[in-house]
Amino acid sequence: MRQDKFISLFILLLILVGCSNQDGVTAKNEKEPKENAFSITDFADRTIDFETTPEKIVALSHGDVDIIYALGNEVVGRPSGETSVEEAKKALEVGSTHSMDVEKITSLEPDVVLGNHPMNMKDVQAIENIGADMVLSHANSVKDIQEQIALFGQLLHKENEAQQLINMIDDKLTAIQQSKVEKKPRVLLVYGAPGTNMVALPNSLGGNILELAGGLNIASDYPSLEMYPQYAQLNAERIIEANPQVILIMTHGDPEKVKNSLVKDMSQTAGWDELEAVKNNRVLILPSDLFGTNPGTKVIDALDYLHELIKNVKNE
């Protein structure tokens, strides 16, 4: 009888020890990182952890859409309006970096949402609340676009493809540098909407492309606007004094309406009709897909377009 009790106690002890070991293994496994887990650091210097490569992507800017497709992936959600990426037209329109539609984004059950820094910092919590991660970047220069490509390459484990795209941009910059014009033409670069016109500064994407393409930005020393530090207020007197040889207009609105608005405002200033740009009919509208927004990898086309335009300006 005593022997039976001893055997029973021994068996119970073995069971308890086994359960304890199993619990220990489980706890250990829970602490171990997932096999495919990785981290990236976005433009807001935020470290974001992923358990696996995200598949369902929402992009809030057209440039981000372009880069994702250039890397061989696709988006389930994209900015509202026209897109230059044919394959992306089937994706659901979800607003933009300025005003995203959280309800539509939620319906897509995305793994990650690509937004703007700093504009979408306020939206990070809302995106995380629906179970997705938000990766923030921006494009105020060609270098920024290259860094966006590298970041998205890390996100999608497409580092080699990303490097190839970056190299293509570098090659274009080198080719332009080798064929740069001897004397840079004076250029006024305006970002416009009906009733509102701002001058693009060198620290804007358009301003950076202009300088890399070989133009001289006459507004390079204008004071920046507090709300839009990449732009300055239109100063008619200073523009007349600088006498630009070319006036370029960027917009994603009605281009002719924007141009007419600018001309109407500026023509009230004495000397407008005597500007070289006006006399030579060089008040030009830039393609909206290349200059009205971040063009992504098509920044190569933007550089080409502006470089050819600048080369054709006769310097006096």
Side-chain angles (χ1 to χ4, degrees):
M1 189 69 176
R2 182 179 294 178
Q3 184 177 5
D4 291 340
K5 287 183 178 180
F6 177 81
I7 293 173
S8 298
L9 287 171
F10 182 76
I11 293 173
L12 179 60
L13 180 61
L14 287 176
I15 292 173
L16 290 172
V17 170
C19 290
S20 176
N21 288 340
Q22 184 62 41
D23 289 342
V25 171
T26 301
K28 182 181 178 182
N29 287 341
E30 287 176 352
K31 292 179 182 179
E32 287 181 353
K34 301 285 185 180
E35 183 179 354
N36 298 319
F38 65 100
S39 299
I40 64 170
T41 302
D42 70 2
F43 283 31
D45 203 28
R46 298 163 53 245
T47 299
I48 307 159
D49 300 320
F50 293 89
E51 291 187 354
T52 186
T53 305
E55 296 181 357
K56 301 177 72 175
I57 304 167
V58 169
L60 299 178
S61 84
H62 294 288
D64 293 356
V65 170
D66 173 87
I67 295 171
I68 295 301
Y69 279 85
L71 290 171
N73 290 67
E74 62 181 15
V75 301
V76 294
R78 66 172 179 85
S80 300
E82 292 297 320
T83 175
S84 60
V85 181
E86 187 66 30
E87 303 94 318
K89 291 182 177 180
K90 63 183 180 180
L92 181 67
E93 297 182 24
V94 296
S96 68
T97 54
H98 298 277
S99 179
M100 65 180 192
D101 190 323
V102 178
E103 186 175 346
K104 286 185 177 180
I105 293 174
T106 302
S107 71
L108 294 170
E109 299 181 346
D111 300 315
V112 66
V113 176
L114 307 179
N116 173 270
H117 175 257
M119 194 177 304
N120 294 121
M121 275 293 293
K122 67 184 188 306
D123 302 311
V124 170
Q125 190 61 58
I127 294 302
E128 291 180 346
N129 286 344
I130 68 172
D133 289 296
M134 194 168 209
V135 174
L136 302 175
S137 65
H138 55 247
N140 295 326
S141 67
V142 174
K143 183 179 179 181
D144 280 349
I145 293 177
Q146 290 179 298
E147 291 178 353
Q148 279 188 310
I149 294 170
L151 178 65
F152 297 163
Q154 294 172 15
L155 176 68
L156 302 174
H157 289 143
K158 294 287 185 70
E159 287 90 346
N160 291 336
E161 292 85 344
Q163 191 58 53
Q164 290 175 15
L165 294 171
I166 292 169
N167 292 344
M168 288 173 62
I169 297 174
D170 282 335
D171 291 344
K172 176 55 62 179
L173 291 172
T174 299
I176 289 175
Q177 181 67 23
Q178 292 174 346
S179 64
K180 66 179 180 180
V181 293
E182 293 183 6
K183 186 178 179 182
K184 296 181 178 181
R186 302 181 304 278
V187 182
L188 172 67
L189 183 60
V190 177
Y191 185 86
T196 303
N197 294 297
M198 300 182 293
V199 178
L201 299 176
N203 61 331
S204 68
L205 178 58
N208 182 240
I209 293 173
L210 171 61
E211 292 190 339
L212 291 173
L216 177 66
N217 190 340
I218 68 165
S220 60
D221 61 345
Y222 282 24
S224 63
L225 294 169
E226 184 176 353
M227 293 295 293
Y228 304 99
Q230 286 81 40
Y231 298 90
Q233 185 175 356
L234 200 69
N235 188 316
E237 288 74 19
R238 292 188 68 175
I239 292 169
I240 298 299
E241 182 182 356
N243 189 20
Q245 296 163 280
V246 186
I247 297 175
L248 302 175
I249 302 170
M250 306 180 294
T251 182
H252 55 258
D254 184 326
E256 288 301 326
K257 187 177 291 187
V258 169
K259 179 179 177 180
N260 291 338
S261 172
L262 174 66
V263 172
K264 181 179 178 181
D265 290 344
M266 289 296 298
S267 61
Q268 298 175 20
T269 304
W272 167 257
D273 293 335
E274 298 304 313
L275 293 181
E276 288 186 40
V278 177
K279 290 193 296 184
N280 295 312
N281 197 28
R282 292 201 194 104
V283 181
L284 308 172
I285 299 168
L286 295 173
S288 61
D289 60 326
L290 298 180
F291 296 94
T293 184
N294 168 17
T297 62
K298 294 184 178 63
V299 70
I300 291 175
D301 300 329
L303 286 162
D304 253 341
Y305 184 95
L306 211 49
H307 182 59
E308 288 302 313
L309 187 155
I310 287 170
K311 283 201 305 182
N312 290 330
V313 176
K314 294 181 179 179
N315 295 287
E316 300 177 357

